[in-house]
């Protein structure tokens, strides 16, 4: 597992052309909205074949092969996750939680123009109404590092790492797409 | 108060107020979690002198530490001076504990070593160690403790059934040792803690609660072991006595290594190492049987490839905290497979337990506002039926009861012991 690119100090990436930066931001907002609205198929269509979807326990500073994470999905397991949600019998998301997340502080962390690969950091705050049982409003703050790759002309996610602010603490049910 | 719990916990039913009455919760924290044995962790987590981890015993925070002599100490995480919390991280390695309020330092054995500005201190340091667990014990590396010190021998608490469950798990390692190096994942649930000894050992709910997992993961082994028709599977629900229960899936496995989802040729070196330790016959048996599925009162779940604690928070909140089985002396590829399996099964984003959690939370809502029945009667609302399979349950000479995997034998096992503890420690 390669470590995450540096996200501290001065930006190390020279500014991207405005249309490309715009395209990346639009991708992040679309991905967030599809997840918020539990539009599983459309969200999955944004995923590349080599996807890794990782929600570490604590900071993303360990090798998830050897230690437990909340989520450490390769493409096949992510497909299973979505298949389970789509059965309509996933009680932990029946009905799906109403959710909205704010995405901000978007920074381009690394660029490989030749390969069409962009690593992007952003912050989020997700508000979830856990309607399946007590209807509590739960707040999930954190930071996402996306690795985006151009596949047949369009951006796709090949990695999404979600570092929760609360990642060291026990978590409520997290059966939605975070 | 004698007889109060006997009125709420009958052989075939229990009253819903047991999950919601805050006074009952307070009594449980004393009678079960302070005066009885509680599972805390594993020796591999504090392998070297100075290694420590922080754990709960009921509502108290304790430090589990390996002292200079290599002994396991379970110390109150509370300074003996004015009570400041000593360790506020999850784990660490130190040669002593220093309180940052007034700088008192304590040895790894809990003794008070130094007091700052000592001229004004006129007590004897020897009289002021950290509070500590009254009894600490371990079995095959599993560490248990109790604060009161009058809980009797650990071996009696575990019983033959509990020791056997732990041994069957550890024997899967070619060295006989397992470790907890994969770390812990905590799952927070808005339910009473007692729903977890019940849910974790309930063989009756899989095809309903876990229908989505069964459809999304078609090549699971639950069809042959727990569902697939009441008459078709021959798995057993067992009450070993003393609050130890088991879902014995072994008779239903149709092939070896079903529990690991692999075949012998893919893990040949592991199979060879197991055979070298145990001999061919026992190794073959272990590869077929896999890890056990059982619950040891009050808070230890051995969930096939997982080990979990049930940590109560308050009457309506619990933490279900688990780690993955990790075998010593095997290729890391095998341990990594166990980590992946554990992520699929347990934890807040897994494919299985979040659905159990929702059921527990919905039950908790359903029990709100229930009052214990008046005069110990068994009329009135809010009773929970646990009668399933009583008639077909068999009872061995040693008291072990065995039913069909879908029977409420395991629930009755928990509650029978609960009633005994709550009444006898009144
Ligand atoms: S409270 Fe710890 S030194 Fe005073
Ligand atoms: Fe379950």
């Amino acid at each position: 597992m390669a470590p995450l690119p540096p996200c501290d100090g001065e930006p190390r990436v020279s500014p991207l052309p405005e249309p490309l930066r715009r395209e990346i931001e639009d991708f992040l907002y679309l991905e967030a909205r599809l997840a918020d609205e539990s539009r599983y198929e459309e969200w999955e269509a944004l995923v590349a074949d080599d996807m890794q979807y990782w929600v570490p326990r604590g900071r993303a500073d360990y090798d998830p092969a050897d230690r437990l994470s909340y989520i450490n999905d390769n493409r096949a397991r992510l497909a299973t996750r979505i298949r389970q949600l789509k059965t309509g019998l996933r009680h932990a998301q029946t009905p799906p939680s109403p959710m909205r997340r704010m995405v901000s502080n978007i920074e381009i962390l690394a660029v490989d123009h030749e390969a069409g690969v962009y690593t992007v950091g952003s912050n989020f705050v997700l508000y979830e109404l856990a309607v399946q049982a007590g209807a509590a409003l739960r707040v999930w703050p954190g930071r996402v590092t996306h690795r985006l790759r151009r596949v047949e002309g369009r951006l796709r996610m090949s990695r999404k790492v979600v570092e929760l602010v609360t990642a060291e603490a026990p978590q409520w049910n997290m059966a939605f797409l975070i | 108060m004698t007889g109060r719990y006997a009125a709420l916990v009958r052989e075939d039913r229990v009253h819903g107020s047991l999950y919601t009455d805050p006074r009952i919760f307070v009594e449980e924290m004393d009678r079960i979690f302070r005066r009885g044995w509680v599972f805390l962790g594993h020796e591999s987590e504090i392998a070297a002198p100075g290694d420590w981890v922080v754990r709960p015993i009921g509502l108290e925070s304790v430090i589990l530490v390996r002292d200079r002599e290599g002994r396991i100490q379970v110390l109150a995480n509370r300074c003996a001076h004015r009570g400041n919390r000593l360790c506020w991280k999850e784990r660490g390695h130190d040669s002593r504990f220093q309180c940052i309020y007034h700088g008192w330092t304590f040895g790894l054995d809990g003794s008070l070593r130094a007091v700052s500005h000592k001229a004004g201190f006129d007590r004897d340091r020897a009289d002021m160690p950290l509070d500590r667990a009254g009894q600490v014990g371990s079995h095959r590396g599993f560490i248990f403790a109790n604060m009161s010190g009058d809980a009797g021998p650990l071996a009696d608490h575990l019983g033959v059934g509990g020791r056997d469950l732990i041994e069957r798990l550890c024997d899967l390692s070619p060295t006989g040792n397992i470790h907890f190096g994969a770390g812990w994942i905590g799952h927070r649930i808005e339910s009473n803690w007692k729903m977890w000894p019940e849910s974790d050992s309930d063989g009756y709910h899989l095809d309903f609660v876990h229908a989505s997992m069964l459809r999304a993961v078609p090549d699971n082994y639950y069809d042959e072991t727990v569902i697939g028709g009441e008459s078709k599977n021959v798995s057993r629900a067992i009450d070993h006595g003393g609050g130890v229960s088991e879902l014995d899936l072994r008779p239903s496995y149709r092939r070896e290594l079903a529990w690991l989802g692999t075949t012998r040729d893919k893990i040949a070196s592991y199979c060879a190492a197991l055979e070298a330790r145990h001999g061919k016959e026992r190794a073959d048996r272990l590869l077929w049987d896999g890890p056990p599925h059982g619950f040891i009162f009050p808070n230890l779940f051995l969930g096939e490839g997982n080990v979990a604690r049930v940590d109560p928070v308050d009457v309506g909140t619990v933490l279900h905290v688990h780690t993955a089985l990790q075998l010593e002396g095997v290729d890391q590829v095998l341990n990594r497979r166990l980590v992946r399996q554990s992520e699929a099964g347990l934890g807040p984003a897994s494919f299985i337990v979040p659905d159990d959690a929702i059921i527990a939370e919905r039950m908790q809502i359903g029990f709100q506002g229930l009052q214990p029945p008046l005069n110990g009667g068994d009329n009135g609302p809010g009773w929970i039926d646990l009668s399933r399979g009583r008639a077909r349950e068999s009872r061995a000479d040693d008291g072990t009861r065995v039913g069909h995997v879908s029977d409420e034998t395991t629930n009755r096992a928990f509650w029978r012991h609960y009633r005994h503890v709550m009444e006898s420690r009144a």
Side-chain angles (χ1 to χ4, degrees):
Chain A
M1 177 61 48
L4 293 177
C7 49
D8 50 336
E10 293 289 306
R12 281 146 224 239
V13 179
S14 46
L16 291 184
E18 200 49 36
L20 176 56
R21 189 181 167 91
R22 198 47 198 261
E23 186 188 9
I24 289 171
E25 288 180 3
D26 285 351
F27 182 95
L28 262 50
Y29 294 142
L30 175 65
E31 193 263 309
R33 182 161 57 85
L34 296 177
D36 283 348
E37 296 175 1
S38 299
R39 288 157 68 174
Y40 306 125
E41 272 174 44
E42 291 162 89
W43 186 86
E44 193 175 16
L46 303 179
V47 168
D49 288 344
D50 59 344
M51 176 68 167
Q52 186 206 19
Y53 175 39
W54 183 27
V55 184
R57 187 217 185 272
R59 293 295 312 276
D61 59 359
Y62 65 92
D63 186 342
D66 294 318
R67 263 172 53 194
L68 287 165
S69 303
Y70 297 112
I71 296 174
N72 180 21
D73 289 358
N74 61 13
R75 185 66 188 88
R77 183 164 284 188
L78 180 56
T80 303
R81 183 176 300 283
I82 288 167
R83 211 159 51 236
Q84 183 183 29
L85 286 164
K86 283 166 59 184
T87 60
L89 299 166
R90 172 63 154 166
H91 305 299
Q93 273 299 295
T94 308
S97 302
M99 292 183 282
R100 287 298 166 193
R101 72 195 80 188
M102 311 297 146
V103 176
S104 77
N105 304 52
I106 298 171
E107 291 178 278
I108 312 297
L109 303 175
V111 171
D112 180 343
H113 281 295
E114 224 138 275
V117 176
Y118 312 97
T119 305
V120 186
S122 61
N123 290 351
F124 72 97
V125 183
L126 161 60
Y127 295 90
E128 181 218 358
L129 193 66
V131 286
Q132 301 80 21
L137 182 69
R138 293 178 182 156
V139 182
W140 303 80
R143 177 169 178 81
V144 180
T145 307
H146 281 91
R147 185 176 60 207
L148 307 179
R149 207 180 54 237
R150 199 168 290 287
V151 181
E152 288 161 7
R154 320 185 76 129
L155 291 178
R156 293 286 174 261
M157 289 187 269
S158 70
R159 192 163 184 228
K160 182 178 185 185
V161 180
V162 182
E163 290 180 273
L164 292 167
V165 168
T166 57
E168 301 280 359
Q171 302 295 322
W172 302 112
N173 260 6
M174 200 197 301
F176 49 82
L177 295 172
I178 193 160
Chain B
M1 273 305 184
T2 302
R4 178 171 161 211
Y5 287 93
L8 297 174
V9 183
R10 310 290 176 82
E11 267 304 297
D12 59 347
R13 54 164 90 181
V14 300
H15 195 262
S17 60
L18 287 157
Y19 300 99
T20 53
D21 185 337
R23 291 163 302 181
I24 289 178
F25 181 80
V26 168
E27 292 184 354
E28 289 169 350
M29 290 307 102
D30 179 53
R31 297 180 197 178
I32 297 175
F33 284 87
R34 203 185 69 80
R35 289 156 67 190
W37 287 101
V38 173
F39 168 64
L40 289 182
H42 193 268
E43 294 201 31
S44 61
E45 299 182 87
I46 48 167
D51 289 351
W52 56 265
V53 295
V54 169
R55 290 289 141 83
I57 294 190
L59 301 185
E60 262 189 277
S61 173
V62 296
I63 307 165
L64 199 57
V65 57
R66 178 88 58 180
D67 72 15
R68 282 177 202 284
E69 279 71 50
R71 293 170 309 202
I72 301 160
Q73 303 279 354
V74 176
L75 311 170
N77 189 10
R78 181 176 60 231
C79 179
H81 177 219
R82 292 217 321 245
N84 181 38
R85 190 165 204 211
L86 280 176
C87 298
W88 57 93
K89 291 190 303 176
E90 266 183 285
R91 57 173 59 241
H93 176 91
D94 284 291
S95 57
R96 62 193 181 123
F97 301 112
Q98 181 167 39
C99 176
I100 59 147
Y101 195 174
H102 312 96
W104 286 22
T105 52
F106 299 88
L108 299 176
D109 59 357
S111 59
L112 176 58
R113 289 292 159 85
V115 171
S116 55
H117 310 302
K118 63 176 188 283
F121 178 80
D122 57 11
R123 288 190 193 277
D124 186 349
R125 273 195 287 118
D127 293 340
M128 301 205 68
L130 297 175
D131 292 337
R132 59 172 58 241
Q135 286 172 287
V136 179
S138 82
H139 185 67
R140 295 291 290 266
F142 284 71
I143 302 171
F144 301 81
N146 76 82
M147 296 311 279
S148 73
D150 55 9
L154 175 62
D156 293 355
H157 168 74
L158 298 175
V160 175
R163 277 174 280 154
D164 180 60
L165 288 172
I166 291 172
E167 277 155 23
R168 274 155 52 196
L169 185 67
C170 297
D171 283 349
L172 286 169
S173 160
T175 67
N177 297 320
I178 64 169
H179 71 83
F180 283 12
W184 295 90
I185 293 282
H187 188 175
R188 192 175 178 92
I189 300 147
E190 285 182 277
S191 85
N192 185 265
W193 69 275
K194 296 189 293 299
M195 289 182 192
W196 293 91
E198 295 196 88
S199 171
D200 285 338
S201 61
D202 183 281
Y204 187 28
H205 71 283
L206 263 89
D207 34 355
F208 292 93
V209 175
H210 303 302
S212 65
M213 183 277 294
L214 296 169
R215 285 194 200 177
V217 189
D219 58 341
N220 64 76
Y221 54 79
Y222 293 107
D223 205 43
E224 64 202 65
T225 53
V226 196
I227 51 176
E230 191 175 355
S231 58
K232 284 203 203 102
N233 81 67
V234 288
S235 298
R236 312 183 306 163
I238 305 177
D239 170 0
H240 288 288
V244 177
S245 64
E246 179 178 4
L247 295 182
D248 183 10
L249 311 180
R250 293 174 292 180
S252 290
Y253 284 128
R254 293 202 197 109
R255 63 182 185 85
E256 67 177 7
L257 288 163
W259 57 276
L260 198 56
T262 189
T263 50
R264 212 179 252 262
D265 51 312
K266 298 213 178 76
I267 50 167
S269 67
Y270 169 61
C271 298
L274 213 54
E275 197 170 314
R277 176 179 173 86
H278 293 295
K280 178 159 170 39
E281 199 177 327
R282 172 123 175 88
D284 285 352
R285 189 76 258 160
L286 287 164
L287 292 172
W288 189 283
D289 291 347
H293 187 123
F295 202 97
I296 297 176
F297 192 90
N299 74 330
L300 170 56
F301 175 39
L302 302 178
E304 298 162 53
N306 306 281
V307 175
R309 298 194 320 263
V310 175
D311 293 341
V313 175
D314 59 40
V315 70
T317 314
V318 63
L319 306 181
H320 198 262
V321 189
H322 78 278
T323 188
L325 168 67
Q326 297 283 276
L327 305 172
E328 196 181 82
V330 302
D331 193 304
Q332 189 56 14
V333 173
L334 179 53
N335 280 332
R336 288 178 166 184
R337 172 184 279 273
L338 290 165
V339 171
R340 298 288 84 75
Q341 279 197 344
S342 182
E343 280 162 345
L346 275 69
S350 65
F351 299 148
I352 298 182
V353 175
D355 294 318
D356 298 298
I358 284 300
I359 302 300
E361 292 185 349
R362 289 177 184 169
M363 288 167 69
Q364 190 72 19
I365 291 168
F367 297 143
Q368 291 305 317
L370 287 177
Q371 294 299 321
L374 289 173
N375 309 319
D378 50 9
N379 293 322
W383 286 95
I384 295 153
D385 179 63
L386 295 176
S387 64
R388 186 182 163 80
R390 272 182 318 161
R392 62 181 175 183
E393 188 172 89
S394 70
R395 194 165 175 186
D397 289 342
D398 63 359
T400 304
R401 297 165 200 245
V402 180
H404 183 264
V405 69
S406 68
D407 290 346
E408 279 148 355
T409 303
T410 47
N411 301 64
R412 290 191 291 273
F414 171 78
W415 284 109
R416 194 175 295 118
H417 190 64
Y418 174 91
R419 184 179 58 199
H420 168 73
V421 169
M422 294 302 284
E423 291 283 352
S424 65
R425 294 189 193 140

